[in-house]
Amino acid sequence: MKPDLFQAPDYYNLDELLTDEHKMVRDAAREWVKREVSPIIEDYAQKAEFPTQIIKGLAEIGAFGPYIPEEYGGAGLDQISYGLIMQEIERGDSGVRSTASVQSSLVMYPIWKYGNEAQRKKYLPKLASGAFMGCFGLTEPDYGSNPGGMVTNFKDKGDHYLLNGAKMWISNAPFAHIAVVWAKDESGRIHGLIVERGMEGFTTPETHNKWSLRASATGELIFDNVKVPKENLLPNKSGLGAPLGCLDSARYGIAWGAIGAAMDCYDTALRYSKERIQFDKPIGATQLQQKKLAEMITEITKAQLLTWRLGVLRNEGKATTAQISMAKRNNVDMALTIARDARQMLGGMGITGEYSIMRHMMNLESVVTYEGTHDIHLLITGMDVTGFAAFK
């Protein structure tokens, strides 16, 4: 088991833009990842298992709903702190960050923002502590980039709702205690419902044979005449904008998380370039390898500046969906490019589990697709700057 020697690059002294609280939160997450995630994650990725024993630790570092008010069990932190936690967790593994992102932005966020006080008090403290884990049901087998076409639906049966349909590619589904599910009512309006494990007709089969996010539990949500109590409907927002608002929060976290994966690949390649001797000198002394490293640190620095500014805008309540979309697309694409270049620098060693790079690369192939594909985010930016929707 190799020690985690990670040193975070900060080429433009961006730490000077962070508060003492930001740095304290980040450093606590960084140390936890080094101690609890790095030593085990390669084995769990090889086994295609999620390490459930880390859930308590994720809760302790504030990874579950860090911006949720303390009265509901959250840490009451700002958006930059949330981003920094996601960065550090994804530096360890994208799948672990996915678990935290789903819990925070796709389960706790809609209950906090769209739920009523009884729902907040019932679910949020348990979700913040990790006693409850949640998942988010939006994507369907035939509706990914076009979630508004969903066919999952519910009917009013007087004293309850009757829910039918299916969702797929759902992180946390196999072990989630609750699911925030988006479905159409009889008029075709989209609403969120809290579905609890144990409700008759609700099953969560696991998705196997993944080459990506192997240390994350992925599954389906199947609803076969599930009776959902009426008090489980999220009352304060409906329509497609409700789940998309959750995705804004999750995409923002991904923009930070991808930087963590990129930093890990860069740091690994930099250290290797100083140690690997070919033709009687370190490969880091050659022009081609220096070109790769120089481009990596440049792109990481640009992404750090982009995302820090986005965090400031989020704190001020000014960040737009399109701005979040740009950062998600840019940073994940950046991280994928760095992972691929870093893998080449390590040669054959780059494909082994002795180093983290190939695992990051495989994970990022999911991250570039979920929560809005690379191409869909390009079209979001295109629509924002031209005023023309080109999705159809």
Side-chain angles (χ1 to χ4, degrees):
M1 186 180 298
K2 295 181 68 171
D4 185 342
L5 302 175
F6 173 73
Q7 292 184 312
D10 184 12
Y11 205 72
Y12 265 37
N13 299 327
L14 289 175
D15 264 21
E16 295 178 7
L17 298 174
L18 303 178
T19 67
D20 288 342
E21 182 179 61
H22 291 151
K23 287 181 277 193
M24 181 181 69
V25 167
R26 179 201 61 196
D27 292 348
R30 183 172 295 166
E31 289 307 310
W32 179 82
V33 167
K34 285 191 172 190
R35 186 177 67 252
E36 303 294 336
V37 177
S38 298
I40 66 168
I41 197 64
E42 298 295 346
D43 286 342
Y44 276 87
Q46 291 284 358
K47 293 187 294 185
E49 291 180 18
F50 174 74
T52 55
Q53 71 270 25
I54 68 171
I55 288 174
K56 185 173 184 291
L58 283 167
E60 289 171 351
I61 63 168
F64 296 153
Y67 49 77
I68 299 292
E70 292 182 58
E71 64 182 297
Y72 301 120
L77 299 172
D78 73 352
Q79 290 292 303
I80 291 176
S81 293
Y82 165 51
L84 288 165
I85 294 170
M86 295 303 104
Q87 171 186 282
E88 295 306 314
I89 295 174
E90 188 145 1
R91 204 278 300 176
D93 187 75
S94 302
V96 177
R97 197 269 310 141
S98 294
T99 295
S101 282
V102 168
Q103 184 87 337
S104 297
S105 292
L106 302 183
V107 181
M108 298 179 73
Y109 179 89
I111 294 173
W112 174 44
K113 285 292 188 180
Y114 311 151
N116 57 35
E117 193 65 10
Q119 291 166 339
R120 295 183 194 116
K121 289 181 176 178
K122 179 178 180 180
Y123 295 108
L124 290 178
K126 290 181 178 179
L127 290 162
S129 70
F132 271 17
M133 295 300 294
C135 63
F136 177 85
L138 180 63
T139 298
E140 296 189 0
D142 294 320
Y143 295 96
S145 295
N146 176 26
M150 70 173 66
V151 296
T152 298
N153 66 90
F154 65 96
K155 293 180 171 59
D156 190 332
K157 294 297 183 180
D159 62 345
H160 66 273
Y161 298 120
L162 198 64
L163 178 65
N164 281 282
K167 306 289 183 176
M168 73 181 306
W169 305 120
I170 310 300
S171 295
N172 299 358
F175 57 71
H177 299 85
I178 66 169
V180 173
V181 178
W182 301 94
K184 289 180 177 176
D185 65 15
E186 289 158 283
S187 71
R189 185 76 175 170
I190 294 171
H191 295 266
L193 301 116
I194 301 170
V195 182
E196 300 182 20
R197 185 172 296 281
M199 289 183 176
E200 189 175 352
F202 174 41
T203 55
T204 59
E206 187 164 0
T207 302
H208 297 288
N209 298 323
K210 298 182 299 176
W211 289 113
S212 182
L213 298 182
R214 288 173 60 82
S216 174
T218 309
E220 300 172 58
L221 305 177
I222 308 296
F223 313 106
D224 182 8
N225 288 322
V226 179
K227 292 181 179 180
V228 181
K230 285 199 165 179
E231 60 265 28
N232 284 28
L233 181 84
L234 298 176
N236 292 332
K237 191 173 179 65
S238 63
L240 188 57
L244 293 184
C246 306
L247 292 178
D248 274 355
S249 181
R251 290 165 176 169
Y252 168 75
I254 291 169
W256 282 92
I259 296 174
M263 291 196 304
D264 196 59
C265 292
Y266 165 78
D267 182 64
T268 301
L270 177 63
R271 187 173 293 108
Y272 189 85
S273 77
K274 296 176 180 180
E275 299 169 352
R276 175 65 169 169
I277 307 298
Q278 288 291 283
F279 303 106
D280 302 320
K281 64 180 179 181
I283 62 171
T286 65
Q287 290 184 6
L288 282 175
Q289 305 309 321
Q290 287 191 11
K291 175 181 182 292
K292 290 186 176 72
L293 292 166
E295 289 174 341
M296 288 181 199
I297 190 59
T298 300
E299 294 306 313
I300 288 171
T301 302
K302 287 157 64 176
Q304 288 172 325
L305 286 163
L306 179 73
T307 313
W308 172 81
R309 176 58 184 162
L310 183 62
V312 172
L313 292 173
R314 288 276 288 175
N315 280 339
E316 296 173 351
K318 296 178 181 176
T320 67
T321 292
Q323 288 170 333
I324 296 167
S325 178
M326 175 185 282
K328 190 270 185 183
R329 177 190 55 80
N330 177 82
N331 292 7
V332 179
D333 184 65
M334 172 275 299
L336 260 175
T337 300
I338 287 176
R340 289 165 180 157
D341 286 346
R343 207 292 305 159
Q344 289 190 40
M345 288 184 65
L346 267 66
M349 291 305 295
I351 70 164
T352 71
E354 187 173 348
Y355 297 92
S356 61
I357 293 172
M358 194 70 181
R359 176 171 49 81
H360 281 307
M361 192 192 309
M362 293 191 299
N363 285 341
L364 288 164
E365 289 293 345
S366 288
V367 182
V368 79
T369 295
Y370 69 24
E371 313 238 3
T373 68
H374 181 85
D375 292 345
I376 287 292
H377 284 298
L378 280 171
L379 294 181
I380 291 172
T381 303
M383 179 176 67
D384 196 49
V385 299
T386 67
F388 302 119
F391 295 97
K392 297 179 181 179

